[in-house]
Every structure is written in structure tokens, then in C-alpha cells.
Amino acid sequence: MADSAAAETDVSALSRRARLRQIVRRTASVLAFVIVWFALVVPNRLEQLTPGAFIEIPIEGLIVVGIGLLLPPRPRQVLAAVAGLLLGLLVVVKVLDVGFYEELDRPFNPVIDWGNLGPALGVVQDSIGRFWADTAAVFALLFVIAIVVVVTWAVMRMSRISAGHRGTAARSIGALAVVWIVLAGLGVAVVSGKPVASRSTTALAVDQVRAAGAAVKDQAKFESALVRKDSFSKASSANLLAGLRGKDVIFAFVESYGQVAVQGSTLSPGVDSVLKAGTATLDAAGYSSRSAFLTSPTFGGISWLAHSTFQSGLWINNQQRYNQLVDSKRFTLSDAFDRAGWRTVGDVPSNTGPWPEGTSFYHYDKLYDAHNVGYAGPKFSYAAMPDQYILSAFQKMELTANHPPVMAEIDLVSSHTPWTPLPRMVAWNAVGNGSIFNGMPQQGPSPSAVWPNAKKVRATYGKSVQYSMNALISFVTNLHDDNLVLVLMGDHQPATIVTGPNASHEVPISIIAHDPKVMASISSWNWQDGLLPDPHAPVWPMDAFRNRFLTAFDQPATSKVAAARGR
């Protein structure tokens, strides 16, 4: 009897284990189906990530399963493994697309964008610290590997299940194919632009191949542009920039200062108020100002593309073009000022390491970065130092008594993402070595307190631009240099969390000068009075500025042909 009871217990235990294995297998099968379906239909833009976007029949899944039913076991396994690997990689591309659309308002490019991941990690390191940024990078890498492995497993399991139930699978695939054809013919869509009869994965793969091919072709096209005749590169030092002789000329890039800051947003009234008050303050101090818009080659980040476009007069809209440009001998604005007798300066406080392009391409006489401007104050998230300190240090080091005329590009950083915490303006004679800013970062909200809420992000962005503009306006009036010419502009719009989707690439630009002759030289530009351009202000592509600027301040009898040719 004991043996019989023990046997029954063993059978019962085996039965339970069998049922458990069956449940696990069925759960794994359902999970595999869900993973494959999700991988095929998940959109690559965050705003499209709605429940309706998942009501799709992906033709790619039907094709892979259908072909697998016709193949012997080994070829079927190879097909499933290859299809799973490719699908996993495409899911990674979708994840990258989401990030690129949110930050740069464009999809990921498989050829030219890998080089942007390093600088992006650097920005995160500067914002939240190296340890946490590196930890996040490791988790991101593991996440990518997990996506590829899990999707490949899911496709292979689906293929194996389909082969084990060949008849049922064939009927199901056939029925779904008929439904797909009917829905495709009728153009049925639950969400606008997302048909239920989906081939989005194929379209994404085709787009990636085309983007890669376009990048390869663009390399040769841009190489031709680099060797094209440039009339300004041969201009004589006597004629070049003759209309600015004796002036200190500063080109100040205000980080993320985009059209959204001054027009059509909940944050623009605050910035507009600062610009209107700043215009009145400058007028009272004897300065004139004119404004317009430039179309930036970048959006949300990669500021050096805008800087190099502005300086070179060529459209630098990706890292590949930038790399080609800085390896060339293209004549830049800094080269023009150098030839005409100015001392040239690059002031880039966000640089914490070597920047060889500053001397090898821009040929600056002096480079300033985070380490050589004497700053002894705190960091403000990404910003190594406040804009007011950057301007104060520049004044002390370059605008001394009896200094030679200076041309400088100053890249301000207080309005750089994450836009919090922010410094406060202090008296200029109290700036000193920056220690007066100690304690200010702790008095403002941290990025982790702001970024979960898009409304708070937009508000802090607006405040950061207000701070940067106040610093610049106050710098001009405090300096009161009658020979100062300041060109201030944005480098790009902020990320889509501020602008919303489908925003323009336009950024404000203003020129400020005390000498009326400077404004007379640009009268043909038809820029608007003041620091605040309205919706009817002129809009130039950013690469048009170099030629128009050099033409405006050249000797009157020269370079007219170049002006007519534009870029």
C-alpha cells in the first residue's frame, strides 16, 4: 500500500510538472508572438506611441512565417535567426529614432550619426556626473543587446511553433493575408498616417538603406563644394572688413536660443519682455540694434554644426560634413579678421579637453576653455560657469586699455540643456573669480526635479534664455565701448520637449553697435529695429551670413559679384 501511495504521489508530481512545463511553453509562445508583433508595429516617434498605433497587421511577419512553412527545418531555422537579428536591429534603430526625433527633430542616420553618441555622452556626463552617466551608458548598451537577443529568440520560437502546427499556421497566415490585401486596398487606418495593413518595418529598412546611400553620395558632393572657387579667400587685407577698422567684433552664440523663445509659445512673453527692455536700455546708452532670423542647419543640439556653418558659409548639417570641413582650408570669418589685422579669439567654456580645430582650422590667436579663464566658482549642471562670468573674464583678458582690435566667437552656455539650476546676475565689479556664485546651484531646482514635467522644462528654458540675454545686454552697457560691434544669435532651437513637434530651424540674430556707420553698412539687409524680430523679419539660411557680412563691410568697390552670387 505504501509503495502504491508513493507511486501515485510520484505520478501526481510528474503530472504537475508536466502541466507547469506546458503553461511555461504556452506562456513563452504567447510572449514570443507579442514581442514580434510589438517589434514590427511599434512606431519610431514618441508622439505616435498611442494605443491606436498598435492596431496593425504587419505584412513582414506574415511573409517570414509563410516562407518558413515552405522550408525544411535547417533553412527555416537560419531564416528565423537572420530575420530575428535584422528585426532586433531595426527595433534598436526605432529606439534611436525616438531619441533623435526628440532631441534633434530628425531620424537616426546609420552612417553619419554614430560619431554623435560620444559627444552626447559627454553632455550627459557634464550634466549629471561621470559615474551616473557611465552607469546609464552601460545599462543602455545592455538594453540594446537584450533587444536584439530577445527579438531573435521570439522570431525563432514563432517559426518553430508555426512549423509544429503547419496546417493551422498556413490557414491563419492565408486568412490574415487576405484581410491585409483588403485593408490595404481600402486604405483603412485607425490612426492618421498609420494604415492597419502595415509595411512600416520594410519602409524603415528601406529608409535606412537610402539614408546610408545618400550619406555616401553627400560626401563626394560636399568635397566638390569645398574646392569650389571662393572669391573672399583671395581678398586683399586692405579691402577686407575695411568698414569695421578699429572695432572690437564679438560673435556671441546663445545656446538653444531659438524662434520658440520669442514667438508663439507660453514662454516667449517673458523673453520678449527682456528683449524689449534691453532694446530701450541700449538705445538710452547710445547703441542701435537690428534683428532678423537665421535658419540653422541643426536642431536641439550639435552646436558646432551651426558655428561652422556661420563661419564657413557652407551648409554643415551633419558630422560627416563637419569632419570634411575642418580638414579643409576653407576661408572662415576668423580667417578674414586675421588677414585684416584683428587679434582673433575663440572662447568656448564648454570645452574641457583639447580642441585642435580651434588652431588648425579656425586659426585663432588665442583659445579660452573651461580651464584657463580663472573660474573658481561652482558648475551649474552642464554649464561650467555662468555667462556673466564668461563675459567678465573675456573683458578682463582681452578688452584691456589700449588693446588691439579683437574679433571673438564666444559660445555661451547658461541656456544649455538641462536649463537648471541657473545663476543670478551680480554686480559686474563683484564677479571676481566666480566664487560669488557659490551656493547658487543649490538654491535652484535640480534637473531631476524639473525634467519629469514638460511644463516645468519649458519654463526653466525660458528663464535660462532671459538670463543669457540679460547678461549680454548688461555686458554691453557696462563695458560702454563705442567701438564694440556685437552680433548675438542662437545656434539652434531647443529640443522638442520645448518646441513641440515639427518646429522650424529658425533662430534669432541681432547686431548691436554704437557707431551709426555700422548700421548704415547693413541698411540693405532690411533687418528690423531692436532686439526682438517679429514674424515678418527677414530669414536667411545661416550659411548665407558669411558672404553678406564680408560684403557689407568690404571696400565699396569690391566683392559685388560675390554678393550677387550669394554662397
Side-chain angles (χ1 to χ4, degrees):
M1 292 292 292
D3 290 342
S4 177
E8 289 180 1
T9 300
D10 290 341
V11 170
S12 178
L14 289 172
S15 178
R16 285 195 299 271
R17 285 197 291 269
R19 286 197 299 271
L20 180 61
R21 284 195 296 272
Q22 187 177 40
I23 292 171
V24 170
R25 284 195 298 269
R26 288 178 177 176
T27 301
S29 299
V30 171
L31 183 60
F33 169 81
V34 171
I35 289 172
V36 173
W37 171 73
F38 183 87
L40 288 167
V41 304
V42 65
N44 63 344
R45 301 194 64 163
L46 196 59
E47 68 269 18
Q48 296 176 349
L49 200 60
T50 62
F54 293 91
I55 304 177
E56 295 184 6
I57 301 174
I59 188 63
E60 299 86 0
L62 303 183
I63 291 173
V64 170
V65 174
I67 294 174
L69 293 175
L70 303 175
L71 296 176
R74 182 53 63 88
R76 183 181 67 248
Q77 292 172 359
V78 172
L79 172 67
V82 172
L85 178 62
L86 292 176
L87 181 57
L89 292 174
L90 283 174
V91 173
V92 173
V93 169
K94 290 183 180 184
V95 173
L96 290 170
D97 275 355
V98 168
F100 271 70
Y101 273 118
E102 285 300 296
E103 182 63 30
L104 304 177
D105 198 35
R106 64 171 177 81
F108 171 78
N109 186 292
V111 172
I112 63 178
D113 279 331
W114 292 110
N116 292 326
L117 299 181
L121 177 59
V123 170
V124 177
Q125 288 174 339
D126 290 335
S127 298
I128 65 174
R130 180 176 294 274
F131 172 78
W132 291 111
D134 290 348
T135 300
V138 170
F139 276 104
L141 179 60
L142 293 175
F143 178 66
V144 167
I145 294 172
I147 287 175
V148 176
V149 170
V150 170
V151 172
T152 302
W153 165 82
V155 173
M156 294 184 70
R157 182 163 185 86
M158 272 193 61
S159 176
R160 189 163 58 251
I161 293 168
S162 300
H165 302 80
R166 192 177 298 271
T168 301
R171 289 190 295 272
S172 299
I173 292 297
L176 286 171
V178 171
V179 172
W180 190 94
I181 292 170
V182 172
L183 294 176
L186 296 175
V188 176
V190 175
V191 176
S192 178
K194 298 275 292 180
V196 175
S198 169
R199 50 179 180 271
S200 59
T201 299
T202 300
L204 177 63
V206 171
D207 287 345
Q208 289 290 298
V209 172
R210 286 176 176 171
V216 172
K217 292 180 180 178
D218 184 70
Q219 187 171 16
K221 177 182 177 181
F222 187 63
E223 199 66 44
S224 298
L226 284 172
V227 299
R228 194 176 301 145
K229 184 178 179 180
D230 177 12
S231 58
F232 285 106
S233 67
K234 305 299 181 183
S236 71
S237 59
N239 291 337
L240 202 59
L241 296 164
L244 289 173
R245 289 282 188 264
K247 307 296 184 189
D248 294 317
V249 182
I250 298 175
F251 298 100
F253 279 96
V254 180
E255 173 66 35
S256 300
Y257 178 38
Q259 184 183 40
V260 69
V262 299
Q263 285 180 9
S265 68
T266 57
L267 60 93
S268 57
V271 177
D272 292 354
S273 178
V274 169
L275 296 177
K276 290 175 183 177
T279 299
T281 299
L282 292 169
D283 287 346
Y287 292 89
S288 299
S289 53
R290 303 283 188 276
S291 299
F293 287 102
L294 299 178
T295 303
S296 174
T298 186
F299 184 102
I302 322 182
S303 302
W304 55 91
L305 302 184
H307 304 164
S308 56
T309 293
F310 184 84
Q311 283 252 14
S312 70
L314 294 173
W315 192 248
I316 313 300
N317 61 340
N318 59 58
Q319 188 66 33
Q320 176 177 272
R321 283 193 168 205
Y322 177 82
N323 293 340
Q324 290 176 264
L325 176 71
V326 297
D327 283 339
S328 76
K329 296 181 179 180
R330 177 69 179 183
F331 191 66
T332 63
L333 283 174
S334 55
D335 288 327
F337 278 93
D338 178 69
R339 181 180 297 176
W342 270 260
R343 171 176 166 82
T344 59
V345 176
D347 195 344
V348 192
S350 59
N351 280 355
T352 57
W355 183 45
E357 297 94 329
T359 51
S360 66
F361 176 69
Y362 290 107
H363 306 118
Y364 288 124
D365 296 317
K366 180 65 178 180
L367 284 173
Y368 294 112
D369 58 26
H371 302 298
N372 64 353
V373 292
Y375 184 64
K379 283 189 65 175
F380 289 80
S381 193
Y382 173 84
M385 62 196 76
D387 288 349
Q388 185 181 13
Y389 183 86
I390 295 167
L391 296 168
S392 175
F394 177 81
Q395 178 182 343
K396 293 175 182 177
M397 292 184 292
E398 292 294 337
L399 304 182
T400 56
N402 302 316
H403 68 275
V406 173
M407 170 269 173
E409 179 187 316
I410 303 178
D411 301 338
L412 301 176
V413 292
S414 288
S415 54
H416 193 289
T417 180
W419 306 307
T420 188
L422 290 171
R424 297 187 306 274
M425 291 291 293
V426 300
W428 286 93
N429 60 8
V431 172
N433 65 1
S435 58
I436 193 172
F437 299 106
N438 284 334
M440 287 190 189
Q442 291 76 26
Q443 295 168 11
S446 66
S448 60
V450 169
W451 274 76
N453 186 309
K455 186 176 180 180
K456 289 183 179 179
V457 173
R458 287 189 286 271
T460 54
Y461 162 77
K463 291 177 181 177
S464 74
V465 173
Q466 292 178 45
Y467 168 80
S468 294
M469 300 308 296
N470 274 322
L472 278 165
I473 295 163
S474 180
F475 167 74
V476 173
T477 55
N478 179 73
L479 179 65
H480 212 293
D481 177 3
D482 291 353
N483 286 318
L484 176 67
V485 176
L486 172 64
V487 181
L488 67 90
M489 75 217 84
D491 47 8
H492 52 71
Q493 291 258 53
T496 55
I497 192 172
V498 175
T499 65
N502 305 315
S504 77
H505 280 220
E506 292 176 13
V507 298
I509 181 170
S510 301
I511 185 167
I512 300 169
H514 194 279
D515 187 348
K517 293 179 183 178
V518 173
M519 293 305 178
S521 296
I522 65 168
S523 59
S524 63
W525 293 1
N526 296 316
W527 285 18
Q528 296 177 336
D529 289 340
L531 296 175
L532 178 61
D534 68 29
H536 304 292
V539 180
W540 296 356
M542 192 173 280
D543 59 342
F545 183 87
R546 187 205 71 155
N547 284 17
R548 292 179 180 180
F549 184 85
L550 293 176
T551 300
F553 295 106
D554 197 357
Q555 289 283 28
T558 62
S559 299
K560 298 304 180 184
V561 173
R565 290 175 178 170
R567 300 183 300 281

